[in-house]
Amino acid sequence: MVRYVANKFFYMLVSLFVLISATFFLMKAIPGDPFTSEKKVPPEIKARLYEQYGLDKPLYHQYFKYLGEIVQGDLGVSMKRLNQDVTHLIGQTFSASLKLGVIAIIVSVIVGVFLGMMAALYHRKFIDSAAMVLAVLGIAVPSFVVASLLQYVFAYKFHMFPVSGFKGPLYYVLPVTALSAQPIAFIARLTRSSMLEVLHADYIKTAKAKGLSWAAILSRHVLRNGILPVVTYMGPMTANIVTGSVVIEQIFGVGGIGKQFVEAIGVRDYTVIMGITIFYGVLLMLARFITDIAYVFVDPRIKLSGGKEG
């Protein structure tokens, strides 16, 4: 187990290095710089700004300096905000994004598994058809369209929920619904497909023949084996919710890290863009890492080397 975890952790570090390098060079490849849009700045002032932030140094020097700072846990200082440390900025704004993301993940798993299980248990009946129609709509309609529709119908028309902000429980409902709509649809389809296969397996027939109660069969065999694809999907789902929250936060005025990211892109704030990108990358890699470890415990047939027993 230790070797398996160490192997996964090593590849996570390699992926993080590639992400940092790619983000750095892509940012430098974009025409202009954080001070290009500044109007009527004397050349001497601009030269001093370049010197202050190290932009006058060769590209390789900037790269290795940035790598050294990252290793020390320093994401740098914002180039557009006076004395604003990027790490501090992320710490200030991430709490709202974290709450939104965690709630959306929990809602997605609970609702998605429930819909998928109901569709499988009532196969080819009204519940099955209704659940799959909702799943298709959830997959087909982008989250920002869902967010706009929810905002228009439930906030503007019926005044059931606040239009924007993040000040209390009611403020969570619409953004969480918009964020979790697509993951719920995917999980429902995955759960339905997997549980239909499990329900027709020989060991389920054996369990019935032995007189095991239907509740015990569902909890011990059907549900546990049926949610294996959901565990696999947890990593990509976290990625979808985290990246999708950038747009949702803007629509609902959440004021989380997504808002800072969008604003930084607009003004070409290199250090903030790279810092938030790396932060997002670490979160997604950790989610994938935890998913890989969890999958081993959920499915005992998986060897720690990554294969399956024959």
Side-chain angles (χ1 to χ4, degrees), residues 38-56:
E38 299 291 345
K39 296 180 180 179
K40 297 181 181 179
V41 177
E44 309 83 47
I45 301 298
K46 207 168 188 178
R48 292 190 64 179
L49 287 172
Y50 279 26
E51 182 181 356
Q52 179 180 347
Y53 292 104
L55 298 178
D56 59 332

Side-chain angles (χ1 to χ4, degrees), residues 98-112:
L98 179 63
K99 292 175 185 176
L100 185 63
V102 169
I103 295 173
I105 290 171
I106 293 172
V107 170
S108 299
V109 173
I110 293 175
V111 177

Side-chain angles (χ1 to χ4, degrees), residues 37-271:
S37 60
E38 299 291 345
K39 296 180 180 179
K40 297 181 181 179
V41 177
E44 309 83 47
I45 301 298
K46 207 168 188 178
R48 292 190 64 179
L49 287 172
Y50 279 26
E51 182 181 356
Q52 179 180 347
Y53 292 104
L55 298 178
D56 59 332
K57 300 289 193 300
L59 188 60
Y60 71 88
H61 184 277
Q62 297 179 45
Y63 173 64
F64 287 113
K65 180 176 181 293
Y66 189 68
L67 281 182
E69 292 172 347
I70 292 295
V71 170
Q72 298 173 25
D74 182 10
L75 296 176
V77 179
S78 171
M79 295 181 178
K80 303 294 286 187
R81 305 180 188 205
L82 185 62
N83 299 325
Q84 178 69 72
D85 184 76
V86 177
T87 305
H88 181 65
L89 176 67
I90 292 174
Q92 279 184 321
T93 57
F94 182 58
S95 59
S97 300
L98 179 63
K99 292 175 185 176
L100 185 63
V102 169
I103 295 173
I105 290 171
I106 293 172
V107 170
S108 299
V109 173
I110 293 175
V111 177
V113 170
F114 177 77
L115 287 177
M117 185 172 65
M118 289 296 101
L121 293 176
Y122 295 95
H123 185 44
R124 294 181 180 175
K125 295 182 180 179
F126 175 76
I127 294 178
D128 182 20
S129 301
M132 289 305 99
V133 167
L134 290 175
V136 170
L137 288 174
I139 294 171
V141 183
S143 60
F144 65 88
V145 175
V146 175
S148 300
L149 288 173
L150 290 173
Q151 201 173 50
Y152 177 75
V153 174
F154 294 102
Y156 285 110
K157 282 291 184 181
F158 297 106
H159 305 287
M160 296 173 62
F161 301 101
V163 176
S164 63
F166 211 58
K167 303 174 184 177
L170 285 178
Y171 290 83
Y172 287 73
V173 177
L174 295 185
V176 166
T177 303
L179 257 185
S180 57
Q182 194 172 73
I184 286 173
F186 273 108
I187 290 174
R189 291 179 65 87
L190 284 173
T191 305
R192 175 184 180 272
S193 176
S194 180
M195 285 193 175
L196 283 175
E197 184 179 346
V198 171
L199 285 169
H200 292 90
D202 291 336
Y203 61 87
I204 297 296
K205 297 175 183 177
T206 303
K208 290 179 181 177
K210 289 182 177 180
L212 201 64
S213 67
W214 184 237
I217 292 174
L218 280 177
S219 61
R220 296 180 191 176
H221 301 292
V222 178
L223 188 59
R224 180 174 181 180
N225 290 287
I227 64 171
L228 289 177
V230 177
V231 176
T232 306
Y233 177 62
M234 288 290 288
M237 180 187 71
T238 304
N240 290 337
I241 288 178
V242 169
T243 54
S245 68
V246 174
V247 178
I248 301 300
E249 286 178 21
Q250 283 290 95
I251 293 174
F252 289 100
V254 172
I257 194 172
K259 182 176 182 236
Q260 305 301 324
F261 188 58
V262 173
E263 289 179 354
I265 292 174
V267 296
R268 298 180 183 179
D269 195 337
Y270 285 169
T271 47

